């Protein structure tokens, strides 16, 4: 009887371990800890850049939060694409997600295509670059305040997302304004996730 119980326990442990392994394989990117940390630092800075732009250029915003960092094309040593999606709340309790489909057109999301570059140089030192108003990329350091030239004054993709969400009635009382939303809360998210939003 004891032998049967031990065998059943062993089988359950093996099944549980296999299930956890498969769950991680399907949902978590296959990155080294060093690479994962680099992407998390880079996206934290990108989220700060986007959040600051929204706070300084749109009035009526209550809260800005960010989705997980979605990774596609991961082959174990590099990522073909990684992106994050802003989610904005207005003062009427409405919540709207950027980057969704609108009349068969995919609105822009934000990530390693067009906004952020992360890599290691020949000596293994990491570097992070963010896009500026001019479209140039400038190096930034994680843990330091965003330099003024990185605090963009124009983000056409953010403006386009807002225009669409306001026109569709998903957000109310928000408009582009120099007054901004200085009290808007920003919730950053640097959790890495495999797949698309």
């Amino acid at each position: 009887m004891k032998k049967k119980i031990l065998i059943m326990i062993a089988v359950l442990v093996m099944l549980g371990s296999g299930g956890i392994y498969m769950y991680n394989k399907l949902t978590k990117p296959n990155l080294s800890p060093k690479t994962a940390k680099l992407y998390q630092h880079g996206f934290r800075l990108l989220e700060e850049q986007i959040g600051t732009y929204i706070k300084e250029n749109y009035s009526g915003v209550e809260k800005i939060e960010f989705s997980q960092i979605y990774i596609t094309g991961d082959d174990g040593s590099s990522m073909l694409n990684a992106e994050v999606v802003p989610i904005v709340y207005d003062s009427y309790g409405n919540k709207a997600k950027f980057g969704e489909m609108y009349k068969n057109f995919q609105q822009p999301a934000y990530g390693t295509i067009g906004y952020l570059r992360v890599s290691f140089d020949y000596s293994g030192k990491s570097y992070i670059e963010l896009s500026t108003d001019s479209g140039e990329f400038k190096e930034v350091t994680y843990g330091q305040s965003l330099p003024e030239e990185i605090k963009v004054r124009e983000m056409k993709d953010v403006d386009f997302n807002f225009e669409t969400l306001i026109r569709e009635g998903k957000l109310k009382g928000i408009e582009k304004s120099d007054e901004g939303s200085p009290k808007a809360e920003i919730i950053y998210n640097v959790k890495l996730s495999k797949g698309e939003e």
Side-chain angles (χ1 to χ4, degrees), residues 62-132:
E62 287 289 312
K63 182 167 70 171
I64 306 147
E65 67 180 359
F66 290 89
S67 70
Q68 298 174 21
I69 302 161
Y70 293 101
I71 297 160
T72 54
D74 173 26
D75 66 1
S77 62
S78 65
M79 290 190 263
L80 297 181
N81 189 24
E83 62 185 31
V84 69
V85 180
I87 302 153
V88 174
Y89 296 75
D90 64 24
S91 55
Y92 295 88
N94 298 310
K95 166 184 169 181
K97 189 183 293 185
F98 283 22
E100 294 189 312
M101 288 292 287
Y102 170 70
K103 294 186 177 177
N104 295 322
F105 177 75
Q106 181 70 44
Q107 294 186 80
Y110 308 88
T112 54
I113 297 179
Y115 289 95
L116 173 69
R117 290 180 183 164
V118 289
S119 192
F120 296 99
D121 67 16
Y122 64 92
S123 67
K125 181 180 179 279
S126 64
Y127 68 89
I128 301 167
E129 295 178 324
L130 288 175
S131 179
T132 64

Side-chain angles (χ1 to χ4, degrees), residues 28-93:
K28 294 188 179 174
N30 185 20
L31 303 172
S32 72
K34 186 176 178 182
T35 303
K37 194 173 224 172
L38 172 64
Y39 273 83
Q40 289 172 320
H41 287 173
F43 271 91
R44 171 59 177 78
L45 289 163
L46 177 61
E47 290 174 10
E48 185 178 347
Q49 184 188 45
I50 294 167
T52 300
Y53 177 77
I54 293 171
K55 275 182 78 161
E56 291 180 354
N57 292 280
Y58 283 89
S59 61
V61 175
E62 287 289 312
K63 182 167 70 171
I64 306 147
E65 67 180 359
F66 290 89
S67 70
Q68 298 174 21
I69 302 161
Y70 293 101
I71 297 160
T72 54
D74 173 26
D75 66 1
S77 62
S78 65
M79 290 190 263
L80 297 181
N81 189 24
E83 62 185 31
V84 69
V85 180
I87 302 153
V88 174
Y89 296 75
D90 64 24
S91 55
Y92 295 88

